[in-house]
mmCIF file of all heavy atoms in Angstrom:
data_model
loop_
_atom_site.group_PDB
_atom_site.id
_atom_site.type_symbol
_atom_site.label_atom_id
_atom_site.label_comp_id
_atom_site.label_asym_id
_atom_site.label_seq_id
_atom_site.Cartn_x
_atom_site.Cartn_y
_atom_site.Cartn_z
ATOM 1 N N LEU A 3 30.269 287.215 102.681
ATOM 2 C CA LEU A 3 29.734 286.636 103.939
ATOM 3 C C LEU A 3 28.252 287.126 104.021
ATOM 4 O O LEU A 3 27.352 286.333 104.480
ATOM 5 C CB LEU A 3 30.487 287.150 105.173
ATOM 6 C CG LEU A 3 31.921 286.516 105.187
ATOM 7 C CD1 LEU A 3 32.701 287.180 106.315
ATOM 8 C CD2 LEU A 3 31.898 284.977 105.316
ATOM 9 N N TYR A 4 27.937 288.356 103.627
ATOM 10 C CA TYR A 4 26.501 288.747 103.702
ATOM 11 C C TYR A 4 25.640 288.059 102.770
ATOM 12 O O TYR A 4 24.514 287.612 103.083
ATOM 13 C CB TYR A 4 26.425 290.292 103.286
ATOM 14 C CG TYR A 4 26.704 291.257 104.458
ATOM 15 C CD1 TYR A 4 27.586 290.958 105.491
ATOM 16 C CD2 TYR A 4 25.938 292.403 104.513
ATOM 17 C CE1 TYR A 4 27.938 291.911 106.433
ATOM 18 C CE2 TYR A 4 26.259 293.259 105.561
ATOM 19 C CZ TYR A 4 27.180 293.020 106.563
ATOM 20 O OH TYR A 4 27.439 293.979 107.605
ATOM 21 N N ALA A 5 26.170 287.622 101.611
ATOM 22 C CA ALA A 5 25.377 286.790 100.688
ATOM 23 C C ALA A 5 25.079 285.414 101.218
ATOM 24 O O ALA A 5 23.960 284.827 100.971
ATOM 25 C CB ALA A 5 26.192 286.647 99.416
ATOM 26 N N LEU A 6 25.997 284.751 101.959
ATOM 27 C CA LEU A 6 25.641 283.617 102.604
ATOM 28 C C LEU A 6 24.501 283.745 103.726
ATOM 29 O O LEU A 6 23.710 282.801 103.693
ATOM 30 C CB LEU A 6 26.992 283.049 103.371
ATOM 31 C CG LEU A 6 28.298 282.895 102.614
ATOM 32 C CD1 LEU A 6 29.358 282.265 103.503
ATOM 33 C CD2 LEU A 6 28.003 282.026 101.227
ATOM 34 N N ILE A 7 24.622 284.772 104.434
ATOM 35 C CA ILE A 7 23.539 284.997 105.467
ATOM 36 C C ILE A 7 22.212 285.135 104.652
ATOM 37 O O ILE A 7 21.152 284.703 105.068
ATOM 38 C CB ILE A 7 23.845 286.312 106.242
ATOM 39 C CG1 ILE A 7 25.024 286.051 107.020
ATOM 40 C CG2 ILE A 7 22.697 286.620 107.126
ATOM 41 C CD1 ILE A 7 25.565 287.278 107.830
ATOM 42 N N HIS A 8 22.290 285.957 103.514
ATOM 43 C CA HIS A 8 20.946 286.084 102.779
ATOM 44 C C HIS A 8 20.477 284.857 102.363
ATOM 45 O O HIS A 8 19.264 284.528 102.533
ATOM 46 C CB HIS A 8 21.224 287.127 101.652
ATOM 47 C CG HIS A 8 20.116 287.104 100.615
ATOM 48 N ND1 HIS A 8 19.302 288.033 100.608
ATOM 49 C CD2 HIS A 8 19.692 286.367 99.587
ATOM 50 C CE1 HIS A 8 18.356 287.902 99.661
ATOM 51 N NE2 HIS A 8 18.685 286.771 98.991
ATOM 52 N N ALA A 9 21.224 284.000 101.778
ATOM 53 C CA ALA A 9 20.825 282.711 101.251
ATOM 54 C C ALA A 9 20.274 281.832 102.353
ATOM 55 O O ALA A 9 19.128 281.164 102.290
ATOM 56 C CB ALA A 9 22.043 281.968 100.627
ATOM 57 N N MET A 10 20.927 281.904 103.563
ATOM 58 C CA MET A 10 20.378 281.040 104.648
ATOM 59 C C MET A 10 19.052 281.618 105.133
ATOM 60 O O MET A 10 18.185 280.764 105.592
ATOM 61 C CB MET A 10 21.417 281.024 105.811
ATOM 62 C CG MET A 10 22.639 280.263 105.288
ATOM 63 S SD MET A 10 24.136 280.588 106.477
ATOM 64 C CE MET A 10 23.401 280.081 108.135
ATOM 65 N N LEU A 11 18.813 282.904 105.168
ATOM 66 C CA LEU A 11 17.638 283.439 105.726
ATOM 67 C C LEU A 11 16.467 283.416 104.642
ATOM 68 O O LEU A 11 15.308 283.367 104.978
ATOM 69 C CB LEU A 11 17.810 284.787 106.128
ATOM 70 C CG LEU A 11 18.697 285.064 107.420
ATOM 71 C CD1 LEU A 11 18.900 286.499 107.637
ATOM 72 C CD2 LEU A 11 17.984 284.393 108.617
ATOM 73 N N HIS A 12 16.793 283.538 103.340
ATOM 74 C CA HIS A 12 15.717 283.792 102.341
ATOM 75 C C HIS A 12 15.669 282.686 101.255
ATOM 76 O O HIS A 12 14.685 282.741 100.580
ATOM 77 C CB HIS A 12 16.072 285.055 101.531
ATOM 78 C CG HIS A 12 15.843 286.235 102.448
ATOM 79 N ND1 HIS A 12 14.581 286.937 102.628
ATOM 80 C CD2 HIS A 12 16.646 287.102 103.104
ATOM 81 C CE1 HIS A 12 14.668 288.009 103.412
ATOM 82 N NE2 HIS A 12 15.974 288.062 103.764
ATOM 83 N N GLU A 13 16.556 281.705 101.231
ATOM 84 C CA GLU A 13 16.523 280.726 100.272
ATOM 85 C C GLU A 13 16.429 279.164 100.851
ATOM 86 O O GLU A 13 16.583 278.362 100.111
ATOM 87 C CB GLU A 13 17.649 280.900 99.330
ATOM 88 C CG GLU A 13 17.596 282.131 98.644
ATOM 89 C CD GLU A 13 18.846 282.468 97.722
ATOM 90 O OE1 GLU A 13 19.616 281.479 97.521
ATOM 91 O OE2 GLU A 13 18.941 283.587 97.253
ATOM 92 N N HIS A 14 16.389 279.095 102.189
ATOM 93 C CA HIS A 14 16.244 277.906 102.738
ATOM 94 C C HIS A 14 15.232 277.838 103.931
ATOM 95 O O HIS A 14 14.867 278.904 104.470
ATOM 96 C CB HIS A 14 17.727 277.594 103.360
ATOM 97 C CG HIS A 14 18.747 277.260 102.400
ATOM 98 N ND1 HIS A 14 18.981 276.037 101.870
ATOM 99 C CD2 HIS A 14 19.639 278.101 101.962
ATOM 100 C CE1 HIS A 14 20.007 276.057 101.031
ATOM 101 N NE2 HIS A 14 20.454 277.282 101.073
ATOM 102 N N PRO A 15 14.576 276.638 104.099
ATOM 103 C CA PRO A 15 13.626 276.562 105.180
ATOM 104 C C PRO A 15 14.146 276.909 106.575
ATOM 105 O O PRO A 15 15.267 276.734 106.864
ATOM 106 C CB PRO A 15 13.121 275.047 105.153
ATOM 107 C CG PRO A 15 13.562 274.617 103.809
ATOM 108 C CD PRO A 15 14.718 275.357 103.379
ATOM 109 N N ARG A 16 13.289 277.516 107.405
ATOM 110 C CA ARG A 16 13.728 277.984 108.734
ATOM 111 C C ARG A 16 14.252 276.809 109.574
ATOM 112 O O ARG A 16 15.218 276.977 110.377
ATOM 113 C CB ARG A 16 12.554 278.590 109.486
ATOM 114 C CG ARG A 16 12.101 279.983 109.019
ATOM 115 C CD ARG A 16 13.247 280.902 109.522
ATOM 116 N NE ARG A 16 12.866 282.310 108.935
ATOM 117 C CZ ARG A 16 13.432 282.771 107.975
ATOM 118 N NH1 ARG A 16 14.386 282.127 107.263
ATOM 119 N NH2 ARG A 16 13.153 283.992 107.531
ATOM 120 N N GLU A 17 13.744 275.529 109.418
ATOM 121 C CA GLU A 17 14.240 274.456 110.181
ATOM 122 C C GLU A 17 15.667 274.128 109.866
ATOM 123 O O GLU A 17 16.299 273.329 110.569
ATOM 124 C CB GLU A 17 13.322 273.164 109.998
ATOM 125 C CG GLU A 17 13.146 272.702 108.648
ATOM 126 C CD GLU A 17 11.939 273.403 107.931
ATOM 127 O OE1 GLU A 17 11.506 274.432 108.354
ATOM 128 O OE2 GLU A 17 11.551 272.750 106.977
ATOM 129 N N ARG A 18 16.152 274.684 108.823
ATOM 130 C CA ARG A 18 17.711 274.447 108.561
ATOM 131 C C ARG A 18 18.614 275.117 109.600
ATOM 132 O O ARG A 18 19.703 274.834 109.710
ATOM 133 C CB ARG A 18 18.041 274.875 107.130
ATOM 134 C CG ARG A 18 17.326 274.141 106.053
ATOM 135 C CD ARG A 18 17.642 272.623 106.077
ATOM 136 N NE ARG A 18 18.999 272.355 105.744
ATOM 137 C CZ ARG A 18 19.594 272.189 104.589
ATOM 138 N NH1 ARG A 18 18.882 272.432 103.505
ATOM 139 N NH2 ARG A 18 20.940 271.984 104.420
ATOM 140 N N LEU A 19 17.951 276.243 110.266
ATOM 141 C CA LEU A 19 18.687 276.973 111.245
ATOM 142 C C LEU A 19 18.486 276.384 112.598
ATOM 143 O O LEU A 19 17.573 275.548 112.790
ATOM 144 C CB LEU A 19 18.223 278.458 111.239
ATOM 145 C CG LEU A 19 18.106 279.175 109.905
ATOM 146 C CD1 LEU A 19 17.673 280.626 110.117
ATOM 147 C CD2 LEU A 19 19.560 279.192 109.355
ATOM 148 N N ASP A 20 19.294 276.780 113.640
ATOM 149 C CA ASP A 20 19.125 276.254 115.001
ATOM 150 C C ASP A 20 18.072 277.256 115.692
ATOM 151 O O ASP A 20 18.465 278.126 116.374
ATOM 152 C CB ASP A 20 20.558 276.278 115.698
ATOM 153 C CG ASP A 20 20.511 275.505 116.997
ATOM 154 O OD1 ASP A 20 19.365 275.398 117.602
ATOM 155 O OD2 ASP A 20 21.464 274.992 117.384
ATOM 156 N N LEU A 21 16.904 276.933 115.417
ATOM 157 C CA LEU A 21 15.851 277.727 116.059
ATOM 158 C C LEU A 21 15.785 277.761 117.492
ATOM 159 O O LEU A 21 15.551 278.847 118.129
ATOM 160 C CB LEU A 21 14.415 277.222 115.502
ATOM 161 C CG LEU A 21 14.344 277.280 113.946
ATOM 162 C CD1 LEU A 21 12.966 276.770 113.569
ATOM 163 C CD2 LEU A 21 14.537 278.636 113.423
ATOM 164 N N HIS A 22 16.132 276.728 118.176
ATOM 165 C CA HIS A 22 16.170 276.620 119.558
ATOM 166 C C HIS A 22 17.331 277.637 120.187
ATOM 167 O O HIS A 22 16.954 278.293 121.112
ATOM 168 C CB HIS A 22 16.452 275.326 120.182
ATOM 169 C CG HIS A 22 16.600 275.102 121.627
ATOM 170 N ND1 HIS A 22 15.616 275.094 122.426
ATOM 171 C CD2 HIS A 22 17.815 275.013 122.325
ATOM 172 C CE1 HIS A 22 16.124 275.061 123.707
ATOM 173 N NE2 HIS A 22 17.382 274.970 123.715
ATOM 174 N N PHE A 23 18.427 277.524 119.515
ATOM 175 C CA PHE A 23 19.513 278.439 119.987
ATOM 176 C C PHE A 23 19.117 279.863 119.834
ATOM 177 O O PHE A 23 19.346 280.732 120.698
ATOM 178 C CB PHE A 23 20.744 278.115 119.166
ATOM 179 C CG PHE A 23 21.939 279.075 119.608
ATOM 180 C CD1 PHE A 23 22.775 278.637 120.533
ATOM 181 C CD2 PHE A 23 22.150 280.231 118.815
ATOM 182 C CE1 PHE A 23 23.844 279.424 120.994
ATOM 183 C CE2 PHE A 23 23.336 280.964 119.167
ATOM 184 C CZ PHE A 23 24.085 280.679 120.139
ATOM 185 N N LEU A 24 18.599 280.233 118.640
ATOM 186 C CA LEU A 24 18.095 281.579 118.369
ATOM 187 C C LEU A 24 17.122 281.997 119.391
ATOM 188 O O LEU A 24 17.146 283.179 119.779
ATOM 189 C CB LEU A 24 17.575 281.633 117.021
ATOM 190 C CG LEU A 24 18.736 281.528 115.801
ATOM 191 C CD1 LEU A 24 17.928 281.430 114.378
ATOM 192 C CD2 LEU A 24 19.616 282.744 115.756
ATOM 193 N N GLN A 25 16.151 281.209 119.747
ATOM 194 C CA GLN A 25 15.117 281.550 120.560
ATOM 195 C C GLN A 25 15.567 281.650 122.104
ATOM 196 O O GLN A 25 15.231 282.605 122.825
ATOM 197 C CB GLN A 25 13.891 280.492 120.617
ATOM 198 C CG GLN A 25 12.791 280.826 121.433
ATOM 199 C CD GLN A 25 11.811 281.746 120.765
ATOM 200 O OE1 GLN A 25 11.673 281.742 119.412
ATOM 201 N NE2 GLN A 25 11.193 282.745 121.509
ATOM 202 N N GLN A 26 16.495 280.772 122.439
ATOM 203 C CA GLN A 26 16.930 280.790 123.851
ATOM 204 C C GLN A 26 18.206 281.430 124.161
ATOM 205 O O GLN A 26 18.434 281.849 125.365
ATOM 206 C CB GLN A 26 17.044 279.210 124.321
ATOM 207 C CG GLN A 26 15.763 278.475 124.243
ATOM 208 C CD GLN A 26 14.660 279.027 125.102
ATOM 209 O OE1 GLN A 26 14.970 279.540 126.183
ATOM 210 N NE2 GLN A 26 13.320 278.936 124.571
#
């Protein structure tokens, strides 16, 4: 599971994440 988080944070563009949810 840690490897999945690493890939999402370090190997994909930020806009692939829910930036609004993270910010708010």
Side-chain angles (χ1 to χ4, degrees):
L3 295 172
Y4 275 38
L6 303 186
I7 297 174
H8 170 98
M10 290 165 61
L11 290 175
H12 291 277
E13 300 178 7
H14 290 274
R16 282 289 176 264
E17 56 268 22
R18 299 296 300 275
L19 307 179
D20 192 334
L21 302 179
H22 175 78
F23 180 85
L24 292 169
Q25 185 79 36
Q26 299 296 324

